[in-house]
Amino acid sequence: MTTRRGPGRRPGAADTRGEILTAARRVFAEKGFDKATVRGIAREAGVDPALVHHYFDTKEGIFAAAMRLPVSPEVIVPTLLEGPREEIGERLVRMLLRVTAAPETREPMVALLRSAMTNEQAQVMFREFITNALLFQVADRLAVPYLRIEAAFSQMFGVIVARYVLKLEPMASADPEELVELLGPTIQRYFLG
């Protein structure tokens, strides 16, 4: 005879959110971003998929949390798209510099970038996430060709690497607003189509 557990919390002092994150890291590492599913992550964690949605809303949200990204696409995409289209380059540069300014938000991002440059599995996950959950979402909403959005991303990727990984001077110590003024028009050009 089996007893069926009723609804509610699981017995014990489990860190359900933490268990879901641990399971998500395993599933993303094994399958990559595109092939990972909320159901698969829930199965790995031994929880109902609704609980994964409760804690993280979307697959993108759980990826951002599992990879310790400072922001998720649910925040980035609307921020980029709010306001006049002719200011999107400036908004993108300013947002990225703001997110990477504090060590607690910069360090996870730089760690993921470093991993993506040296580990094929991390590269696949990073590429799938960046293109499908972020870049292509913005490109589709703005009707900008994917090549242009990837070119804008590669420009900003280079800035982050130069500023925080290679620590090239004067880029590393430049005032963020000076970089916004310098880079904003270049990034904007990619969005003009």
Side-chain angles (χ1 to χ4, degrees):
M1 179 169 151
T2 59
T3 58
R4 189 168 169 189
R5 196 174 70 77
R9 292 180 51 111
R10 294 188 296 178
D15 171 18
T16 304
R17 186 177 190 282
E19 290 172 6
I20 293 169
L21 285 173
T22 300
R25 287 185 194 104
R26 282 193 303 264
V27 171
F28 285 127
E30 180 183 313
K31 298 181 181 263
F33 178 78
D34 281 349
K35 292 183 180 159
T37 65
V38 170
R39 285 188 183 281
I41 292 166
R43 187 171 33 257
E44 181 73 20
V47 300
D48 188 273
L51 197 53
V52 176
H53 286 292
H54 167 75
Y55 283 113
F56 304 101
D57 291 327
T58 63
K59 182 169 84 167
E60 292 80 7
I62 193 168
F63 183 85
M67 297 301 126
R68 296 178 181 92
L69 297 179
V71 289
S72 70
E74 291 88 4
V75 173
I76 294 173
V77 173
T79 301
L80 286 179
L81 299 177
E82 285 177 1
R85 185 179 178 132
E86 60 273 5
E87 295 172 6
I88 196 166
E90 184 180 303
R91 278 195 308 276
L92 174 61
V93 175
R94 186 171 282 116
M95 180 182 65
L96 191 58
L97 291 174
R98 186 179 63 243
V99 166
T100 57
E104 62 272 10
T105 55
R106 177 180 60 247
E107 288 166 2
M109 184 181 290
V110 170
L112 187 57
L113 294 177
R114 286 178 191 255
S115 297
M117 290 189 281
T118 59
N119 179 290
E120 189 174 337
Q121 202 170 25
Q123 179 190 68
V124 168
M125 273 194 309
F126 185 70
R127 181 180 58 238
E128 290 173 352
F129 176 73
I130 288 296
T131 56
N132 297 331
L134 188 60
L135 298 180
F136 294 171
Q137 297 296 320
V138 173
D140 290 344
R141 288 184 173 97
L142 294 174
V144 174
Y146 290 168
L147 179 59
R148 286 182 170 271
I149 198 87
E150 286 179 347
F153 170 76
S154 68
Q155 180 100 32
M156 292 311 301
F157 181 85
V159 168
I160 298 305
V161 169
R163 191 166 165 90
Y164 298 112
V165 177
L166 300 175
K167 299 180 182 176
L168 296 177
E169 287 296 347
M171 176 74 74
S173 59
D175 181 82
E177 283 305 309
E178 181 180 2
L179 292 175
V180 169
E181 186 178 319
L182 177 67
L183 299 166
T186 301
I187 299 301
Q188 183 64 39
R189 188 177 68 80
Y190 295 115
F191 292 97
L192 296 178

